[in-house]
Amino acid sequence: MDSTIKLELLGFLEKLGVSKSAISDDMNLFAEGVIDSMQAIDYLVMIEEKFNVNVTMQIVIEKKLGCPSYMAKYIETLIQ
Amino acid sequence: MKKRRILAFTSIRSDYDLLSPLFNLIQKDSSLELKIIVSGAHLSKTYGYSISQIEKDGFQVLCSIESLIDSDSKKSRIKSGSILLQNAIDIVDFYKPEIILFSGDREDAIVAALIGSYLFIPTIHFYGGDHVIDGNVDNPIRHACSKLASLHFVSHELHKKRLIKLGESPNRIFVIGSIALDKFVSIKVHSINVIKKHFEIANGFNDFCLLIFHPIINESDVAYLHFKNIMEVLDENHINTFVSFPNTDPGNRKIIDILNSYRGNKNFFIYRNLDRDWFLSVFRRSSFIIGNSSAGIMEAASIPIPTINVGSRQIGRFADHNVIFCSTGKKDIASALKKIRTPEFQSTSSSVKNSYGDGTASKKALKLIQNLNFNNFLMKKEDPLNV
């Protein structure tokens, strides 16, 4: 999946020090400990600021949004 | 659903502004309940009676504790702190908050940190890990607060490093940025004409600066002379200036005397206390800030405007390239004033990006508060030798 939103998300992660090449399409960044708790918060706040959506940690866990592809789909649904 | 009880301490307007954007977000979250213990200068008419702003902002005051000993003596601050401590213990114990929030380095911060520690209530210290080498008592008090706190929400990566050096465990420290900057990004700024109309300023003030100067304990006998020098330099250069009253620290009386001697001078608009919205409009419309307030170090870069920091207060604190530090002599102050007006400095200053954050700190703090299990951080068992 190469949506614009997903590319934005990967850009956010790169800003947080996570290399794009280190992320596979189905990797759950939160569950697999790729990002720490502060990076997770930074990531979610970047998403909220950029897309003007509300993404709580509870939703992230329930919908497995730690995976950038899932997160991109979720945001697409919200902003449609 | 049972709400999570959060208790915050605040004793002075400047520190309230450091947390109020977060209070707003907490207030909007239906799973959280916020109450505030208000004390110190907030309840003093001399310093603007800013508890009325807290009430106007819609926050629930759990209790107002009249603690300020309004004196110029060195004993006054610690006596004020002890009054607050005595009165707050039973109130906190009765309310039984699940988290206590406090910021900075003043008496209410150390009191909140002590109460949280002894009553086994998790605490979050905001703005810890900062360091100033002016010798003021605030600095070791800030570090003492950090040692007592369960968690640290800090405004700069360097502050995290310093806390780790102080023996704090990295998993207790979160770099969120400065919450004070959040309103800088979001607030609607009034035009200069609207500002002039609001403050009933008839002439001039189309171009102005902001002066905020506070005494520090170890210079309390001479601070007024430093302030006088700044006022004279600004007056001699015919610079329109919004001038704030100093804080409540020893040495402030003589500064107020100097201030009062300038009443009627059309170069100066003197104020005791401004609503945060008006203060931010004045600040953002200022062509520079002068004095020794942390606003010059931590907030001016978000506008961005140049800062002249006069004297030893704030020295040691990380500052972006918009800041010039100068001594308290008139010659040095005049020289700094000349320098910030050069095209080179204006260019440097206008391209500065604030290292203290991007205006999203309160959102980050809220998400952490919503998601952290605070009881995991309550017991501080770590050996600093192993951190």
Side-chain angles (χ1 to χ4, degrees), chain A residues 4-68:
Chain A
T4 316
I5 294 175
K6 189 186 163 193
L7 290 176
E8 290 265 17
L9 298 182
L10 294 177
F12 294 163
L13 290 164
E14 203 150 43
K15 274 189 194 165
L16 297 171
V18 184
S19 164
K20 281 179 195 172
S21 58
I23 305 167
S24 60
D25 220 30
D26 55 353
M27 182 185 275
N28 188 330
L29 303 165
F30 294 73
E32 295 180 36
V34 179
I35 56 178
D36 65 25
S37 50
M38 190 66 234
Q39 286 173 314
I41 299 291
D42 285 335
Y43 178 58
L44 295 184
V45 170
M46 281 181 192
I47 289 169
E48 290 187 343
E49 289 289 298
K50 173 73 187 178
F51 301 106
N52 196 22
V53 294
N54 184 24
V55 189
T56 64
M57 195 64 85
Q58 199 181 343
I59 293 169
V60 169
I61 293 164
E62 279 170 15
K63 298 186 181 285
K64 296 181 181 164
L65 301 184
C67 176

Side-chain angles (χ1 to χ4, degrees), chain B residues 144-156:
Chain B
C145 290
S146 294
K147 289 310 299 177
L148 291 166
S150 318
L151 286 154
H152 316 282
F153 288 6
V154 303
S155 57
H156 199 285

Side-chain angles (χ1 to χ4, degrees), chain B residues 236-251:
Chain B
E236 286 160 13
N237 284 276
H238 310 292
I239 294 173
N240 291 148
T241 308
F242 277 86
V243 193
S244 162
F245 257 50
N247 64 17
T248 56
D249 293 353

